Amino acid sequence: MTTMDMTPVVKGGGGPELNKRRRVYKPNTKHVPILATLLLLVIMYSAGAANYRNFDDPSVIVNLFRDNAVLLVVAVGMTFVILTGGIDLSVGAVISLTTTLTATLLQGGWPPLVVLPAVLLLGALIGAGQGAVIHFFKVEPFIATLAGLFLARGLALFINQHSIPIRDKVWTAISDYRIELPIGEDGVVTKPIAIVAVLAVLIAAAVLAWTRFGRNVYAIGGNADSALLMGLPVGRTKIAVYTISGFCAALGGVLFSINSTSGWALQGNGLELDAIAACVIGGVLLTGGSGFVWGTLLGVLVSGLIRTIINFDGGLNSAWARIIIGVLLFAFIVMQRIVTRKAK
Amino acid sequence: MTILKNRLFWPSLILAILLGINMFTSQQFLMIQDGHLFGTLIDILRGSAPLILVALGMTLVIATGGIDLSVGSVMAISGAVACLLISELGDQNSVGSVLLIIGIAIGASLLLGLWNGVLVAAVGIQPIIATLILMVAGRGVAQLITEGQIINVRSEPYATLGSGFFLAVPVAFLIAAAAVVLTILLTRRTALGLLLESVGGSPTASRLAGIGARRITIMVYVVAGGLAGLAGLIYSANIRSADSISAGSLIELDAILAVVIGGTALIGGRFSVAGTVLGAILIQTLTVTVVAIDIRPEANLLFKAVVVVALCLSQSPDFRAKVFGRFKSRPAAREVAAA
Amino acid sequence: MGEQPPVLEMTGIRKVFPGVVALDGVDFRLFPGEIHALMGENGAGKSTLIKTLTGVYEIDGGEIKLGGAPVRISGPLQAQQAGVSTVYQEVNLCTNLSVAENIFIGREPRKFGKIQWGKMRRRAAELLARLELDLDVSAPLDTYSLAIQQMVAIARAVDIEARVLILDEPTSSLDASEVEQLFRVMRRLKESGVAILFVSHFLDQIYEISDRLTVLRNGQLIGEHKIEELSQVQLVEKMIGKELAALEDLEDKAQSNRERAAGAQPVLEAKGLGRTGAIAPYDLTIHEGEVVGLAGLLGSGRTELARLLFGADKPDQGELKVAGKPVNLRSPQVAMKHGIAFSSENRRTEGIIGDLSVRENIILALQASRGWTRPIPRKKQDEIVDKYIKALQIRPADPERPVRNLSGGNQQKVLLARWLITEPKLLIIDEPTRGIDVGAKAEIQKLVAELSDGGMAVLFVSAELEEVLRLSHQILVLRDRRLVEKLENTADVDADRIMQTIASGATS
């Protein structure tokens, strides 16, 4: 049998010389979305500073972290999930469950040092459960976490549909605690929750860049089948990212309860969308395998800054925040599309 | 044994049980009063109309391998447009004007669907992301239209859409039924259904078979937008006001759920309109039942979660394999026949 | 070699898929320090055997012994840990990660849990240098060509201290020098005592590198031989059995057929048609009843040439006439309107729609050309489909069965039926006989000859020279994405003549 492919010649792919030339611009494409988001952030900030009095006060930026601490923590967890190519719709509901449960338990006189780990563990368990269903039973992440959403919010409403005040000493003490940062002339005051959120970002960034687990997350998002054939623990990693996301959501819930010294089952409604939007604006590809926690951080700051500007302006309808985020989503998605197309 | 393997067996069984519970617990399951049908069953049918409409559009979109997250926002916009225009009418009871306004609202919804369709099919953005844009921004637009207020209307012709009766049957249900029949005719009496399934099954192969996949894809998003708009009108007519915050809130999730319960796979391809209708009615029945059997209404979501989990697991081949051990081979086994 | 105990011993391996016995009591041995070729036609069970060894499938019967001890391989990770590494036919790496990561992922050098990126890059560069590759190891893998990606995959497999290395068609995307490079690496590994299982469709490569080979056919073991004890002809006989005869009678038919083309009207004329980066501008005329064969290596541009004629890709230069009139084939739809049909080489991704039934797959193109508003009546569909199932002998003859469950050959027939019912003037078929059994191959070749007898123009792309020679009136030879020669298929044209052109690129 004379097969013509006996000595195949690969052309167009190119040898090493060609490849070297090609990769001059390539590594940048990964960073383009992040740089664009950063640029946008700078422009928005400058525009705000030019138009509104006191907008350039350092506290504006510091307060961004305080006001968006919950979103930031949740979005960090979401980043892990999206990097594997999944999605977690349950985070908002997990927040409502945690705040309700925290408030109820504290009201029932449970010691705070028991309540805190208990609710965090619960969040992680819900996440792990979803991950297990997704991995073992091959249920779509969308559907599995939708079930998680119903379950968590249902449980929260079942426990109590009303807002429950928290009077626990530890909780109120943390809530009232202020940290002074040596920024600017007079220093800037912020709350512990902002510090927690920043820590979450730092830890996540380190995990993703420097640990095997972190790289496995990227590998799975790039090509799950290949990852499996390369002997990577795909199932374990998948379950782990949903566990992390559940944990982050629970942490977000705790921050919520600290910030508002109350728990409410309607808290965090729709937050999953804001988190996903922040990831996308920050350049995390929803198909998985590409993106950085730093990008997510920028995405959160952008959406926070939009709200800040609307607050400063006073005359704008708050509905504009949603519309502008929608427009940004559009712009960034189209940009990602163009960049990835070029790369091909 | 074959009936047990039918994908719709379990959903049907659950629906039957729920309806059974309702029959026993409610004194007024189905009766005639003032020349209208009346009772829990009718409540279910009427209440499920918006979900059926939205889920119908969702079925077609999912059949092409897409998804439409924006349906809730489209509902909100369509209701807001209609109520705003009606509230500005001199005579809110003018049938002609109301019909015109309904037309405008649906036209707007079709345009929103077109936007989604163009993003997906022409620009080539992943459907879940493309429709996320309108999902986020659309509700903002609805809030802008209503200026953050709830617009109340006192228009009888408009209210008929939500709470009226025609020949003793709720108008809302008739509209939904008509949409279902039309969709079935449209997909199964023409070649549209086949082409949809083909595009959902393999877009590349479809293009090379000469199918205008782009036009078909755009069309289903337009249809989904229009149906969502209609659902938004029924919703707002029922409460006689436009509520841009809660109109259609989370309905995309219910609609997707209805489609999945109905046996249409989220990856596209084969779809079942009848299955979707069954799914939508099941979800609505669940809501009504929870109220009827006097469980706290908050438990509704819990029940939904249980049903979702049970159904998804029962439809997951891997779950069946692992739990019942009926099939021994791994998922990759399917592709082997050709390998 | 024989004195040492085998490092891998598989006995009585059985694997059953719904409706198919993929492996039926197969034995396989692998000794340390040997290169062992696993041979067989498509569907013989090679891939399945490999996948049972790498833990992708679990075996339904039999025993696997590694180093004399029975093992149960339940997943790729366990396989690797047991010392079995694999490089697959399609590169199975994560192209979004860097070269270095692709080599080391899962085994990254760490200190206190933190990945040592610098060390990892250094080691990756060293390893690649041993394979004579000079790459930027921190660049994402998708910046490199498939061939390079393949070598990276091998580097990864080599670095895992493998006792058994499985190379599943690693050479299919490598050029001659890269194959040499790979063989050097294989020989070095062999000397160090690694047992290599090698799968390739290229017989010359098998004879160049292997020490021993095992032949499978239809899921059964045909035999294990030392390479020097089996000639190429004997090997081919063992691989395909006695079905060769089916192809014989076609030869004469095509001979007589060749004279038919003269005087016929041109169906399609291309002038300077080309697409940058895909295929250099070419001229081509196809007449009624003429079979034009495209010969060339994989990647020579034969598929790219064909796709331009169907509007599957858009040309960026040149002009095209169909039936004497200039046309612009913007899309497959437009091409179909002009009576052109195209069956892609990628049967599973660009051909069949697996979920749909045989019936639906067959009527798809015809339905698409009618538009969705004018459905083909069900009765008419059944008539057409029944006719073609009979005419092409599609098995099983069940129009409602999902096409996914058919064998490759039958799927190919379904695709042919899809295009034949549109009654095209020009049928373009890209590799219709690839990966299907010999019987179906002969039937498809016969069909092409019959169609051309009936006046249809056919553009026939195939990797098998004999097939092209047997069927074509005119043969176009491609090389390096350029049409280098047009040959009338006369008696003095033979495989060697074409091979020469392909090898040298000379235009006569």
Side-chain angles (χ1 to χ4, degrees):
Chain A
M1 191 162 293
T2 333
T3 306
M4 304 234 351
D5 293 340
M6 286 225 179
T7 49
V9 182
V10 176
K11 288 290 157 182
E17 328 82 65
L18 191 66
N19 288 319
K20 262 184 197 145
R21 184 156 43 82
R22 262 224 240 151
R23 61 160 297 272
V24 172
Y25 68 89
K26 179 71 190 191
N28 293 340
T29 58
K30 260 185 167 177
H31 297 130
V32 166
I34 271 202
L35 293 177
T37 312
L38 189 62
L39 184 70
L40 176 78
L41 201 61
V42 171
I43 292 172
M44 279 170 46
Y45 183 76
S46 321
N51 285 319
Y52 308 111
R53 241 162 53 89
N54 295 334
F55 197 89
D56 55 356
D57 193 282
S59 67
V60 167
I61 290 182
V62 175
N63 288 348
L64 274 181
F65 285 88
R66 182 197 66 195
D67 298 340
N68 296 287
V70 176
L71 178 59
L72 193 51
V73 170
V74 172
V76 163
M78 186 70 83
T79 307
F80 279 84
V81 174
I82 293 181
L83 279 176
T84 64
I87 201 154
D88 187 352
L89 297 179
S90 71
V91 289
V94 170
I95 285 181
S96 55
L97 178 59
T98 350
T99 63
T100 312
L101 197 62
T102 304
T104 309
L105 292 180
L106 290 176
Q107 207 178 34
W110 287 48
L113 279 178
V114 175
V115 172
L116 181 67
V119 293
L120 291 180
L121 185 68
L122 177 73
L125 278 179
I126 292 177
Q130 293 175 150
V133 168
I134 290 164
H135 171 66
F136 289 117
F137 304 139
K138 307 277 178 293
V139 175
E140 295 259 356
F142 194 92
I143 294 293
T145 56
L146 174 60
L149 183 162
F150 289 149
L151 190 72
R153 198 169 292 282
L155 276 173
L157 285 166
F158 202 74
I159 294 169
N160 200 331
Q161 351 178 19
H162 305 290
S163 179
I164 317 155
I166 296 177
R167 295 199 188 77
D168 179 79
K169 269 187 222 134
V170 177
W171 242 254
T172 47
I174 300 176
S175 182
D176 292 338
Y177 190 78
R178 294 290 179 275
I179 298 161
E180 198 152 323
L181 301 173
I183 301 173
E185 290 155 29
D186 317 320
V188 179
V189 173
T190 192
K191 292 185 183 177
I193 60 168
I195 307 295
V196 173
V198 171
L199 278 178
V201 172
L202 292 175
I203 293 171
V207 166
L208 282 176
W210 288 333
T211 66
R212 277 193 190 167
F213 166 74
R215 303 321 294 173
N216 290 349
V217 167
Y218 281 92
I220 291 171
N223 188 337
D225 295 333
S226 291
L228 193 67
L229 289 175
M230 288 199 280
L232 301 182
V234 171
R236 216 169 59 207
T237 309
K238 269 193 186 170
I239 296 174
V241 293
Y242 287 95
T243 310
I244 289 174
S245 179
F247 175 85
C248 284
L251 183 60
V254 169
L255 298 188
F256 234 136
S257 69
I258 289 173
N259 200 30
S260 62
T261 56
S262 68
W264 188 29
L266 291 182
Q267 206 70 272
N269 206 352
L271 200 82
E272 59 275 1
L273 265 190
D274 295 332
I276 295 169
C279 290
V280 173
I281 292 177
V284 183
L285 273 188
L286 274 179
T287 41
S290 176
F292 302 92
V293 173
W294 304 116
T296 303
L297 169 65
L298 294 179
V300 169
L301 292 182
V302 164
S303 68
L305 203 56
I306 292 170
R307 292 203 173 82
T308 310
I309 289 177
I310 286 171
N311 278 344
F312 263 83
D313 189 274
L316 285 173
N317 188 326
S318 67
W320 280 108
R322 296 195 74 99
I323 297 177
I324 294 171
I325 289 177
V327 170
L328 285 180
L329 268 179
F330 172 68
F332 276 86
I333 287 164
V334 171
M335 187 182 71
Q336 281 188 2
R337 175 83 195 136
I338 292 167
V339 168
T340 47
R341 211 181 244 174
K342 235 188 216 161
K344 295 255 157 81
Chain B
M1 215 41 211
T2 41
I3 190 169
L4 276 175
K5 278 189 183 160
N6 190 314
R7 303 202 71 158
L8 295 185
F9 172 75
W10 290 106
S12 307
L13 183 71
I14 293 175
L15 180 61
I17 293 173
L18 287 175
L19 286 176
I21 294 173
N22 276 298
M23 260 205 301
F24 283 109
T25 52
S26 97
Q27 291 86 7
Q28 302 167 324
F29 185 67
L30 182 63
M31 50 201 299
I32 295 181
Q33 192 176 16
D34 306 335
H36 296 158
L37 287 171
F38 177 82
T40 316
L41 185 61
I42 296 305
D43 285 348
I44 290 171
L45 291 181
R46 182 167 60 196
S48 58
L51 183 56
I52 289 177
L53 289 170
V54 172
L56 267 186
M58 192 69 83
T59 308
L60 302 184
V61 169
I62 288 179
T64 64
I67 202 155
D68 187 353
L69 296 181
S70 71
V71 284
S73 294
V74 173
M75 276 180 74
I77 291 177
S78 125
V81 167
C83 289
L84 180 72
L85 292 176
I86 290 176
S87 70
E88 286 169 355
L89 281 180
D91 173 17
Q92 293 200 2
N93 287 327
S94 150
V95 176
S97 312
V98 169
L99 278 178
L100 179 69
I101 287 167
I102 288 174
I104 293 172
I106 292 180
S109 314
L110 291 172
L111 278 180
L112 293 172
L114 182 65
W115 160 264
N116 283 332
V118 167
L119 282 189
V120 172
V123 186
I125 299 174
Q126 251 184 299
I128 190 169
I129 311 176
T131 55
L132 180 68
I133 296 169
L134 188 55
M135 180 190 194
V136 172
R139 209 163 278 283
V141 171
Q143 279 169 279
L144 272 192
I145 293 172
T146 62
E147 290 174 341
Q149 309 294 312
I150 291 181
I151 303 178
N152 293 305
V153 293
R154 290 175 305 280
S155 165
E156 281 316 311
Y158 188 61
T160 308
L161 218 49
S163 50
F165 283 84
F166 180 75
L167 295 179
V169 184
V171 171
F173 179 69
L174 286 177
I175 293 175
V180 171
V181 171
L182 264 178
T183 310
I184 291 178
L185 286 180
L186 193 69
T187 51
R188 297 304 178 199
R189 287 293 152 138
T190 73
L192 187 63
L194 171 65
L195 300 189
L196 280 179
E197 287 173 346
S198 167
V199 170
S202 170
T204 328
S206 299
R207 189 178 90 90
L208 288 178
I211 296 171
R214 185 174 290 185
R215 210 180 315 161
I216 288 182
T217 308
I218 292 180
M219 194 170 97
V220 293
Y221 282 94
V222 171
V223 170
L227 287 170
L230 191 56
L233 293 179
I234 292 179
Y235 177 87
S236 91
N238 201 25
I239 57 171
R240 296 172 189 237
S241 63
D243 178 351
S244 55
I245 307 266
S246 57
S249 168
L250 292 183
I251 199 164
E252 63 280 350
L253 300 183
D254 276 347
I256 292 164
L257 189 57
V259 174
V260 173
I261 292 174
T264 303
L266 275 181
I267 50 166
R270 291 280 189 213
F271 68 92
S272 160
V273 171
T276 297
V277 174
L278 179 68
I281 293 179
L282 173 59
I283 292 171
Q284 181 64 23
T285 310
L286 192 64
T287 313
V288 172
T289 311
V290 169
V291 178
I293 57 178
D294 222 17
I295 304 178
R296 289 158 58 194
E298 308 89 80
N300 188 7
L301 280 172
L302 276 184
F303 268 76
K304 241 189 224 173
V306 173
V307 172
V308 178
V309 171
L311 274 175
C312 287
L313 291 186
S314 76
Q315 289 180 353
S316 150
D318 290 76
F319 179 77
R320 289 193 216 175
K322 276 169 189 152
V323 176
F324 303 110
R326 260 192 271 168
F327 313 105
K328 265 203 225 148
S329 58
R330 300 263 189 100
R334 264 196 301 168
E335 54 199 63
V336 160
Chain C
M1 184 177 9
E3 304 90 87
Q4 275 181 294
V7 58
L8 169 74
E9 200 169 7
M10 303 171 86
T11 38
I13 301 298
R14 189 175 162 78
K15 177 72 202 169
V16 183
F17 296 113
V20 195
V21 181
L23 291 175
D24 190 5
V26 171
D27 300 339
F28 181 77
R29 303 183 298 163
L30 200 54
F31 293 92
E34 76 162 343
I35 296 176
H36 191 133
L38 184 60
M39 305 299 297
E41 286 275 273
N42 282 291
K46 283 176 303 182
S47 297
T48 312
L49 186 71
I50 288 174
K51 283 182 175 165
T52 60
L53 194 51
T54 55
V56 177
Y57 299 147
E58 279 183 72
I59 51 176
D60 296 327
E63 190 184 38
I64 303 177
K65 277 187 187 170
L66 266 171
V71 288
R72 191 176 153 271
I73 300 172
S74 55
L77 191 60
Q78 285 82 351
Q80 275 183 24
Q81 283 164 350
V84 179
S85 279
T86 314
V87 174
Y88 288 94
Q89 183 176 353
E90 303 101 29
V91 181
N92 275 292
L93 295 175
C94 293
T95 53
N96 60 324
L97 302 181
S98 70
V99 171
E101 279 195 270
N102 270 295
I103 295 175
F104 286 106
I105 192 153
R107 308 171 293 116
E108 298 98 333
R110 290 183 300 180
K111 202 172 184 179
F112 310 120
K114 176 184 170 296
I115 293 175
Q116 296 173 289
W117 283 93
K119 189 171 173 188
M120 187 164 103
R121 289 196 196 105
R122 239 183 359 261
R123 277 181 50 189
E126 282 165 18
L127 184 64
L128 289 169
R130 265 194 280 153
L131 303 189
E132 296 161 42
L133 279 174
D134 176 26
L135 308 179
D136 176 356
V137 294
S138 56
L141 191 65
D142 57 9
T143 52
Y144 288 105
S145 70
L146 260 178
I148 301 290
Q149 294 183 16
Q150 185 75 263
M151 297 301 281
V152 171
I154 292 167
R156 175 182 173 82
V158 167
D159 189 61
I160 298 172
E161 302 290 311
R163 284 192 288 174
V164 174
L165 176 63
I166 302 172
L167 300 176
D168 187 358
E169 293 197 44
T171 54
S172 56
S173 59
L174 304 190
D175 69 23
S177 69
E178 287 165 329
V179 168
E180 262 321 300
Q181 204 174 333
L182 170 67
F183 281 2
R184 274 200 295 279
V185 172
M186 282 171 70
R187 290 198 184 95
R188 201 173 302 159
L189 290 168
K190 173 182 150 180
E191 279 157 24
S192 68
V194 177
I196 298 176
L197 194 169
F198 180 59
V199 179
S200 168
H201 283 313
F202 307 124
L203 296 187
D204 289 345
Q205 292 181 359
I206 299 289
Y207 276 82
E208 185 186 339
I209 191 86
S210 310
D211 302 307
R212 186 193 289 264
L213 51 80
T214 293
V215 183
L216 300 182
R217 192 168 74 222
N218 294 330
Q220 286 174 330
L221 175 69
I222 299 302
E224 189 205 73
H225 306 270
K226 283 192 174 162
I227 197 86
E228 57 270 20
E229 290 167 1
L230 199 68
S231 73
Q232 292 212 13
V233 177
Q234 287 171 317
L235 171 60
V236 171
E237 269 177 24
K238 285 192 183 297
M239 281 164 66
I240 63 180
K242 290 198 173 64
E243 293 164 285
L244 261 177
L247 294 172
E248 303 282 315
D249 61 304
L250 207 70
E251 197 84 21
D252 316 316
K253 200 168 159 45
Q255 289 286 359
S256 63
N257 200 19
R258 276 179 197 149
E259 290 129 38
R260 293 269 313 269
Q265 291 298 309
V267 173
L268 178 138
E269 295 157 89
K271 231 188 172 123
L273 200 68
R275 179 177 158 94
T276 312
I279 177 87
Y282 61 91
D283 298 340
L284 166 68
T285 307
I286 307 177
H287 298 88
E288 285 172 359
E290 185 181 36
V291 179
V292 176
L294 292 191
L297 301 173
L298 193 72
S300 63
R302 47 181 207 226
T303 296
E304 289 77 2
L305 184 154
R307 285 174 71 93
L308 290 190
L309 300 178
F310 186 62
D313 296 324
K314 281 176 212 148
D316 52 14
Q317 53 199 304
E319 49 196 79
L320 195 63
K321 281 186 192 167
V322 173
K325 289 190 201 96
V327 292
N328 173 14
L329 302 183
R330 293 184 310 274
S331 68
Q333 279 170 294
V334 178
M336 282 165 63
K337 280 205 186 87
H338 288 100
I340 302 170
F342 170 76
S343 173
S344 164
E345 62 175 334
N346 298 318
R347 191 167 52 230
R348 264 189 275 169
T349 53
E350 297 185 344
I352 58 159
I353 315 255
D355 274 347
L356 300 188
S357 68
V358 171
R359 173 178 57 84
E360 288 166 316
N361 268 285
I362 289 180
I363 64 154
L364 199 59
L366 183 62
Q367 183 61 66
S369 64
R370 289 166 65 110
W372 64 269
T373 48
R374 289 172 53 225
I376 305 166
R378 181 57 192 264
K379 224 179 120 196
K380 183 90 187 296
Q381 292 184 19
D382 290 339
E383 271 170 33
I384 302 175
V385 170
D386 277 347
K387 187 175 138 201
Y388 276 89
I389 285 180
K390 280 205 190 83
L392 303 185
Q393 300 183 7
I394 294 171
R395 297 279 174 276
D398 172 8
E400 298 311 316
R401 179 179 287 247
V403 80
R404 156 192 335 282
N405 297 342
L406 269 59
S407 71
N410 282 300
Q411 289 177 351
Q412 191 62 51
K413 290 182 193 168
V414 167
L415 288 179
L416 282 172
R418 174 191 290 175
W419 290 112
L420 293 182
I421 66 170
T422 64
E423 296 173 357
K425 293 196 201 88
L426 168 63
L427 177 64
I428 305 171
I429 31 183
D430 194 354
E431 294 251 38
T433 58
R434 182 168 68 186
I436 67 178
D437 63 77
V438 173
K441 209 175 227 176
E443 284 174 36
I444 286 172
Q445 292 179 6
K446 211 182 278 176
L447 181 72
V448 169
E450 280 167 16
L451 290 171
S452 120
D453 283 347
M456 193 184 287
V458 180
L459 185 72
F460 187 84
V461 184
S462 175
E464 285 178 35
L465 263 188
E466 281 163 8
E467 200 171 69
V468 174
L469 276 165
R470 194 175 299 135
L471 289 170
S472 314
H473 301 104
Q474 197 189 157
I475 297 174
L476 310 186
V477 185
L478 288 111
R479 181 193 152 89
D480 296 352
R481 300 185 179 266
R482 188 176 293 280
L483 175 58
V484 290
E485 188 169 34
K486 287 187 208 170
L487 291 167
E488 283 302 314
N489 193 4
T490 48
D492 58 331
V493 173
D494 59 10
D496 289 345
R497 168 79 183 71
I498 295 174
M499 287 284 235
Q500 249 171 15
T501 312
I502 289 171
S504 65
T507 315
S508 57

